[in-house]
Amino acid sequence: MFVDTSGRRARLLRRLGLLVGAVCLGYAAVLAMAFMGWGTSLTPSSLLPFGAAGGQGGQAPGGFRPDAPAPAVPTASAPAPTASPSVPAPTAAD
């Protein structure tokens, strides 16, 4: 049976355990900050993967450009429909 009388193996394992513990503590801190909302953006446009700063020239998936002007709506020549009551008004006899 091998016995480490110098304590090198115990010292190595202790340092390795401290390193793993420090990594876990750092991950827990990052997770806690994420739950508290630190590091997140308050503007929805900065959360999108496209846009002017996204590197795709302002082009979103599907060819949609969020900052493009809306297309012109043609004017209708027909008169607008009028609202007609579908239920008759109650009378005094009811």
Side-chain angles (χ1 to χ4, degrees):
M1 175 163 207
F2 176 74
V3 178
D4 184 18
T5 58
S6 66
R8 286 176 48 194
R9 184 182 301 153
R11 206 170 23 247
L12 175 68
L13 290 176
R14 187 178 303 121
R15 288 179 183 162
L16 190 63
L18 285 173
L19 177 68
V20 169
V23 168
C24 288
L25 187 64
Y27 179 71
V30 168
L31 201 62
M33 288 189 303
F35 279 128
M36 288 188 285
W38 293 356
T40 58
S41 176
L42 297 178
T43 57
S45 62
S46 67
L47 298 174
L48 297 174
F50 49 82
Q56 295 181 358
Q59 195 82 356
F64 174 74
R65 292 187 61 194
D67 57 348
V73 178
T75 58
S77 60
T82 59
S84 62
S86 60
V87 179
T91 60
D94 288 337

